Amino acid sequence: MIIGLLNQKGGVGKTTLAVNLAAELAGTGARVLLLDADPQGSSLDWAAAREGEPLFSVVGLPRATIHKEIGALGRDYDHIIIDGPPRVTDLARSAIMASDMVLIPVQPSPYDVWAAAEVVKLIEEAGVYKDNLKAAFVVNRKIANTAIGRDVGEALAGYPLPTLEASITQRVIFAEAAARGQAVRELDPRGPAAKEVAAVATELLEQN
Ligand code: ADP
Ligand code: MG
């Protein structure tokens, strides 16, 4: 499955979810490639911060030719995760065209809900060329026991795309793991963050 993490807005959790979903899928024994399509190269930085064995391959491809190259690049992998770029529209378009499933992280904030309009438009445009393209929102950085988490779900219902049942809570462990080039499932395998990532992965694979 080719999963593209896309959102024109920066700081929503594209890279965080990309590395953790890649680690989760690799943990099941699948061969996983993480394609870093962000010119900033955050997934590559994550891989460089890591000591010891890589869990999966990370390759930088911040070019608008991802959809053309993905066939050859992904030949030897079961799953490919694309860490999408902020802003750059032609890159985002190419990453969407390359994906089977576009996952849009959004934080529980009205600003994120409004900003999602841009990526939804790109997905609708891509859908004209690609009829089996799937897309969904995933709520990231949910704050436990607040109404805003539920409100964001209602606000997102105004878009013609579904929101995943599974969501990711705001947790310091995501930054702590990233600082070492690790996934949350490595730092705390049975912890709540790892469980949430696993639930997102399961839900994504069910949609395939
Ligand atoms: P993007 O790739 O969309 O720009 P990042 O994945 O880099 O977003 O996340 C932006 C910042 O938010 C990073 O510092 C990251 O560690 C932090 N972050 C992302 N998701 C979470 C979360 N669920 N809990 C805590 N911090 C998070
Ligand atoms: Mg990023």
Side-chain angles (χ1 to χ4, degrees):
M1 189 178 195
I2 305 174
I3 302 165
L5 275 298
L6 270 300
N7 193 331
Q8 306 290 88
K9 192 167 188 288
V12 295
K14 294 181 291 294
T15 302
T16 301
L17 285 175
V19 299
N20 281 288
L21 283 172
E24 176 61 29
L25 294 170
T28 67
R31 296 162 302 172
V32 178
L33 171 65
L34 174 54
L35 263 192
D36 192 344
D38 185 349
Q40 191 116 54
S42 303
S43 282
L44 290 169
D45 287 340
W46 175 88
R50 188 176 176 85
E51 283 174 17
E53 286 296 297
L55 296 173
F56 47 82
S57 315
V58 186
V59 171
L61 188 62
R63 287 200 297 267
T65 52
I66 302 163
H67 60 297
K68 293 182 186 158
E69 297 184 49
I70 196 123
L73 276 171
R75 217 170 10 225
D76 297 327
Y77 297 95
D78 301 308
H79 299 294
I80 305 172
I81 308 285
I82 305 173
D83 181 10
R87 295 178 299 277
V88 209
T89 308
D90 57 337
L91 276 184
R93 204 174 270 135
S94 177
I96 291 168
M97 288 300 288
S99 300
D100 299 319
M101 171 88 200
V102 176
L103 190 60
I104 310 163
V106 285
Q107 299 172 105
S109 134
Y111 301 110
D112 272 47
V113 173
W114 297 325
E118 217 174 319
V119 67
V120 170
K121 183 160 172 273
L122 288 183
I123 291 165
E124 284 176 332
E125 287 167 5
V128 175
Y129 305 98
K130 210 177 160 169
D131 42 61
N132 49 358
L133 178 63
K134 296 189 188 74
F137 294 109
V138 62
V139 178
N140 180 34
R141 305 191 85 156
K142 209 162 164 168
I143 299 165
N145 305 317
T146 58
I148 187 78
R150 193 186 58 236
D151 291 350
V152 77
E154 285 169 14
L156 288 171
Y159 286 115
L161 298 178
T163 301
L164 293 190
E165 204 72 48
S167 61
I168 306 284
T169 303
Q170 156 93 15
R171 292 180 208 278
V172 181
I173 191 176
F174 282 102
E176 289 169 346
R180 313 177 188 192
Q182 289 189 322
V184 292
R185 75 191 303 278
E186 295 178 279
L187 261 191
D188 187 10
R190 283 176 194 78
K195 281 194 181 127
E196 286 178 351
V197 172
V200 169
T202 301
E203 201 175 340
L204 287 174
L205 294 178
E206 279 168 8
Q207 314 236 343
N208 201 16

